[in-house]
Amino acid sequence: MRIDVLGVVRALHDDGSPVDLGGPRHREVLARLVAAEGRLVTTDTLVNDLWTDPPARAVGAMRTFVAALRRALEPDRPPRNPPRVIVTEGPGYALRLPREDVDAHRFQDTLARARRNAAAVPDLGAALAAWRGPAYADVTGSAWAQRERTRLEELRWEGVELRARILLGFGEGADLVAELGAHVAEHPWREPAWELLARALYRAGRRVDALATLRRARAMLVDQLGLDPGGDLQRLETDILNGSAPPEGARTAWTGPGVRLGPRTTVDLARTLALAGGDALVRSRRDRLAAIHAAERTGDLSLTARIIGAYDVPAIWSRADDPEQSRTVVAAAERTLTGLGPDGPADLRARLLATVAIESRSADLSGTELKHAQQAARQAEDLARDLADPALLAFALNGVFLQSFSSPGLAAARDRTGAEILDLSTRHELPNFAVLGRLVRLQSASALGDLDAATSHANAADQLAATTEAPLVSVLTGWFRARAMAARSAEPGGPTAATAAAHYRAAEDALRTAGMPGLHRGLFPLALLGLRLLHDRPAPTDPHLDWGPYRPWTRPLVLLAQDRGEQARNALAAVPEPPRDHMREALWCLTARAAVRLGERGIAARAADALRDACADHAGAASGMLTLGPVARYWAEAEACAGAG
């Protein structure tokens, strides 16, 4: 669930439906606990904050409000089980939710990251867009709420200005004019807002408007406040008059304040940063997109094709980290391919087609889009083979690999692709693609349950990563070793399930800051579920687990573990077909297990049919990061259920 206070106070279930919080006093109690940011709020403080003149039974009323909120926020909590959201702590209460589940906390954390690292600017934009009005908008007449509202509003203004300053540093201008104009109109006393608006106008080529804006700022400050403009405004006016303020060039992409690079240089830097992971990986995506936009503005198709195709960063995961950006890159590649035509340079067309194949790996692709991406992968491979370009062929084969999850049971075919990538990169000194080849082969061996072969590839990948400075590799191999530990925990004399869970937790801690949300979100809970299934235990029911994109398939088993059979049956009926990615077989196995437990013969038959060709594989192990055990076990159960009666 999540709680929002940037606007009226509300709470939402994890499916997006609203929680009935009760009356104004109930919402104010919850809001006051949110404002404490997880710290204890004593009962006396709550009473004094809610009532200017507390009634005689204020403490009793307060406890009634808290009890009602607990029922609303945790409707399924069994009797006599302690609450987990609003907890009793000493002489008062505290709210126990992850900071990312409360919009005010999420906004403050995002702003703090953006202050430290400009790569967080896309997240800052999203956090600013999440504001629905003044903070605690429906908590009126309370001094504590007014103080908190004022504090958060000041941070909001700072966030708007910080985001604009970072984007101006990246070379944007025209797109910020309207936004900054509205900001100045709403807050005319903020000198930084006037400065940023003038800079945006100047960057957009509107020198006269920029000077007029600075004159308006001067007039407002002098006439209404009796103050001269600050030094920053005065220096900016002088720089614009002298022509020394740097405008954005039509062929320039920006990587940071005061640093300009040509588009090709920028994308080369982005490619290098991508291999470093973490904030650098996030920055690399941003710089790549900036370079593509800059190249497209030149109208030079060949330049644009080279910029798009130069980002040949090996990709191992079949779900995009930033689906929206992937769609933007694919659209740019498609436009450029159309402009070049079928007779355009074969090497440029091959790189564009490989880019389409690699970036078209989001879970929400339609059937037509999927077929188009698979066709692009095959065309890129054919062109690269004809050109006898090993680096280009390795890049194209990366696209072939990512588009190979359309049907179950293709681990052996993917291993052949990985072997060719490894051979090409070894013979032609392409170390980053050598790492990719090892990881593809690790995943393939893991899918087939060959832990010895997979371990050998993991060790070799780690050795390569040490020489290529690719820290993300150890994150992935660390997950594989946790996956292997989980599998062995189900064997006689193997490690305990608790030991395997601890290894998954350590792997999760390493992944959290790796900058790969398409891989990270939901992976740890799914790994724990797989570990429990290996030991014939029910699904984990911790409400704080974020199941991410896997929630529809895990939900029936979680509900069954909570003895909510009818709701589990409804959830199973609503389960969609799994996306064609690394987890396809695993999600079908979860569907099969739930169908068997609920006696849903029709769904069991569908699952058995989907899994038939994957019976030699281990569920989820195609990821190289977790396992649910042999697919054959789930297939046999589903087959028996489907044929029962």
Side-chain angles (χ1 to χ4, degrees), residues 82-145:
R84 304 185 65 172
V85 178
I86 298 179
V87 302
T88 300
E89 212 173 75
Y93 306 96
L95 183 70
R96 289 285 180 262
L97 273 182
R99 288 183 65 82
E100 64 184 9
D101 292 339
V102 180
D103 62 352
H105 303 166
R106 188 167 61 247
F107 168 72
Q108 292 176 85
D109 292 348
T110 303
L111 177 59
R113 285 200 307 274
R115 290 188 188 117
R116 298 190 304 268
N117 190 333
V121 71
D123 293 338
L124 179 58
L128 287 165
W131 280 69
R132 297 167 292 111
Y136 305 98
D138 53 344
V139 183
T140 57
S142 294
W144 76 264

Side-chain angles (χ1 to χ4, degrees), residues 550-591:
Y550 310 117
R551 185 178 185 277
W553 296 272
T554 59
R555 183 70 173 158
L557 291 174
V558 172
L559 290 168
L560 279 170
Q562 296 170 334
D563 294 325
R564 295 158 67 185
E566 196 55 38
Q567 290 171 279
R569 195 178 304 279
N570 294 336
L572 179 62
V575 166
E577 180 172 327
R580 300 172 185 273
D581 61 17
H582 280 80
M583 295 300 182
R584 183 173 177 81
E585 290 90 345
L587 301 184
W588 270 121
C589 286
L590 296 179
T591 300

